[in-house]
Amino acid sequence: MQPQSSARSSPKYRANRAQTHHNAFKEAPIWLLVQPIRAILTSVALLLLGSGLLNTLLSLTANDLGYSTSVIGLIMSSYFAGFTCGTFVSGRLIKRMGHIRTFAFCAAVCASMALLHMLWVSAPGWMLLRFVYGLSFVTLMTVIESWLNARAAREERGKVFAVYMVVNLGAIAVAQQLLRLDVGQGYVLFAIASILISWALLPITITRKPQPQIPERAKSSLRTLLGFAPVPVAGAALSGLAMGAFWGMVPLYASRQGFDTGAVGLLMSLTIVGGALLQVPIGRYSDTHDRRAVLMAVACAAALLALCMPLAPGHTALMAVFFLWGGMAFSLYPLAVAQLLDQLHPDEVISGTTTMLVLHGAGAAFAPMLAGAAMEVVGLQGLPLYAALVLACLGGFTLYQMRRVSVLPAGEHAHFEPMVATSHEVLGMIEKEDEEKEEEKAEEPAAA
């Protein structure tokens, strides 16, 4: 019996079993993959439907209330400030309360914040509400993504990540179409947003799945990261400056261009769909070429498209430009993350990507405020000019670094994954995949 037990514990035997399981999984239909995580995905969809609706609705409502562009920018910036601060406290809250109670607590806060906007109509009040909402929302996403990360088996992680991103972007895109439910009474859409966020509680709280453990938050050094990976650092921060302006100020920009509420929702949806569709070919191309060159080209293309926005002859042409711009702009953050992963050892992935998320969030926190100031000074077209300037800076800085440093310190070449910036927990999948590759390489000589 001893030799048989020893054979079964050998690396070669375990590798063969893993490969057999992987081959069987390849043939499994997608619904078998989704079934164990359907409660999590349902909660994600409902949460993002409510949150996506609320974000666009607030910009339009603030405009209707007569707030200046600068004030609207400050209101929208407050959400991203809360989101960024929440990345530092969400793990502690989950450890203290547990996943389900934390989710219920923060979902209740978010749902009540949505309704309080109608009861406390004040610019400073809305700034406070948006800050608290952002802090609570990133905690909700940390709960969801840590749970998703724990539920995903080794051979399923890539597909689980892909399904999650489809649900994520799809829900945000559909949420924009809920603006069409506006019947001329502003509180109706705020109530719908609150209801959807409240409904997100139901699948999570009735689940019987075991709760995962939250690991210690990885420590990271921005100075160290900036020293050996300046392009990814700039990509994270400047893409945040561009995308924060999109989420916060584009609804206002479209409304003042003469779009009605439904058309604003369509413009936002088309931009998000463009981002979802074009990320994949751009990312796959970057996997086989110099990723810095791809990042530079995409940033410059996005800057040129932003400059085309004031020249669009009509609403349809402007929507087409935003569709293409979304494909370019949405690709910048995942390209920067993939470039960073190319230069990191697997042990450094979580600390590095956590810093990237914080930088992206910090950029997004300043973006609506800066874009609002640009619109105040230049006029309505200050928004695309602001975006073009930010993206041109990213393209120019990347070109400078390519000429200054021709060879990069590199680890394993990373595989591009389409993504949006949510919490650092979902990036644990990338860390685990890289660690497992290192383990497999270490086992190969022993197996031979």
Side-chain angles (χ1 to χ4, degrees):
M1 296 297 292
Q2 184 64 30
Q4 184 178 6
S5 174
S6 176
R8 290 191 174 184
S9 63
S10 69
K12 186 174 182 179
Y13 177 83
R14 288 187 282 113
N16 290 337
R17 284 203 63 183
Q19 184 62 40
T20 301
H21 189 91
H22 179 65
N23 291 338
F25 170 76
K26 279 184 175 180
E27 302 174 1
I30 193 68
W31 64 267
L32 286 179
L33 171 67
V34 172
Q35 188 174 9
I37 56 173
R38 63 184 185 276
I40 301 173
L41 294 179
T42 302
S43 287
V44 168
L46 291 168
L47 179 62
L48 292 176
L49 280 171
S51 185
L53 170 61
L54 180 63
N55 183 74
T56 305
L57 177 62
L58 281 173
S59 183
L60 296 175
T61 305
N63 183 48
D64 292 340
L65 291 172
Y67 292 149
S68 69
T69 307
S70 298
V71 170
I72 294 174
L74 287 170
I75 291 170
M76 305 312 289
S77 287
S78 299
Y79 163 78
F80 293 107
F83 187 97
T84 304
C85 292
T87 61
F88 297 98
V89 301
S90 56
R92 299 175 193 172
L93 189 62
I94 295 170
K95 283 183 177 181
R96 179 176 180 178
M97 300 175 63
H99 279 68
I100 292 179
R101 286 196 298 168
T102 301
F103 191 90
F105 177 84
C106 290
V109 171
C110 287
S112 61
M113 292 299 106
L115 292 177
L116 281 171
H117 285 91
M118 282 290 91
L119 300 177
W120 189 9
V121 183
S122 158
W126 280 22
M127 291 176 198
L128 177 61
L129 294 177
R130 290 306 284 162
F131 180 87
V132 174
Y133 186 95
L135 196 150
S136 300
F137 183 79
V138 74
T139 305
L140 288 171
M141 298 307 293
T142 304
V143 170
I144 288 169
E145 292 176 355
S146 62
W147 212 326
L148 191 68
N149 196 12
R151 291 290 302 162
R154 170 182 172 178
E155 66 278 358
E156 299 173 352
R157 287 184 189 121
K159 290 186 177 181
V160 167
F161 187 85
V163 170
Y164 174 68
M165 283 300 141
V166 168
V167 172
N168 195 310
L169 289 168
I172 298 172
V174 171
Q176 311 307 310
Q177 298 309 302
L178 297 179
L179 291 168
R180 297 179 181 275
L181 299 178
D182 183 21
V183 293
Q185 296 174 313
Y187 69 87
V188 172
L189 292 180
F190 283 95
I192 290 174
S194 180
I195 290 169
L196 289 169
I197 295 169
S198 299
W199 282 354
L201 276 164
L202 303 179
I204 287 288
T205 52
I206 64 173
T207 185
R208 292 180 293 178
K209 303 293 183 183
Q211 301 182 53
Q213 296 294 320
I214 287 284
E216 291 294 329
R217 186 178 183 274
K219 295 182 180 179
S220 56
S221 170
L222 175 58
R223 180 179 297 179
T224 302
L225 206 60
L226 188 60
F228 75 89
V231 170
V233 168
L238 292 174
S239 65
L241 282 170
M243 294 309 300
F246 166 73
W247 294 116
M249 304 305 287
V250 166
L252 174 65
Y253 174 78
S255 179
R256 292 187 179 178
Q257 286 274 59
F259 285 72
D260 61 25
T261 303
V264 171
L266 181 59
L267 176 69
M268 296 291 289
S269 293
L270 285 173
T271 310
I272 296 165
V273 170
L277 293 179
L278 298 183
Q279 273 194 65
V280 176
I282 290 171
R284 295 299 175 256
Y285 182 82
S286 76
D287 285 340
T288 56
H289 295 78
D290 185 346
R291 212 177 311 263
R292 293 178 301 169
V294 176
L295 179 62
M296 179 200 67
V298 169
C300 291
L304 289 174
L305 286 166
L307 291 176
C308 291
M309 291 173 187
L311 306 177
H315 289 182
T316 302
L318 185 59
M319 288 183 181
V321 173
F322 265 98
F323 175 86
L324 295 173
W325 184 86
M328 301 296 123
F330 274 69
S331 301
L332 292 173
Y333 179 70
L335 280 172
V337 170
Q339 175 62 42
L340 178 68
L341 296 180
D342 288 343
Q343 300 175 237
L344 290 181
H345 186 274
D347 293 341
E348 302 168 323
V349 166
I350 285 297
S351 62
T353 51
T354 299
T355 301
M356 294 281 280
L357 179 65
V358 172
L359 285 169
H360 186 84
F366 284 101
M369 181 172 52
L370 295 175
M375 294 171 74
E376 198 79 45
V377 173
V378 179
L380 187 60
Q381 301 304 334
L383 177 61
L385 293 177
Y386 160 84
L389 177 62
V390 169
L391 295 167
C393 287
L394 176 57
F397 179 77
T398 305
L399 178 61
Y400 167 75
Q401 287 294 324
M402 289 174 63
R403 292 185 174 181
R404 181 170 173 263
V405 182
S406 58
V407 180
L408 291 173
E412 288 292 320
H413 188 69
H415 184 65
F416 177 93
E417 293 290 351
M419 67 176 72
V420 289
T422 50
S423 86
H424 65 278
E425 284 296 325
V426 76
L427 293 167
M429 294 187 187
I430 300 174
E431 179 198 37
K432 291 178 182 178
E433 287 179 349
D434 289 341
E435 283 180 348
E436 286 157 1
K437 287 177 184 176
E438 291 291 317
E439 290 173 3
E440 288 172 2
K441 286 184 179 179
E443 288 176 355
E444 281 176 3

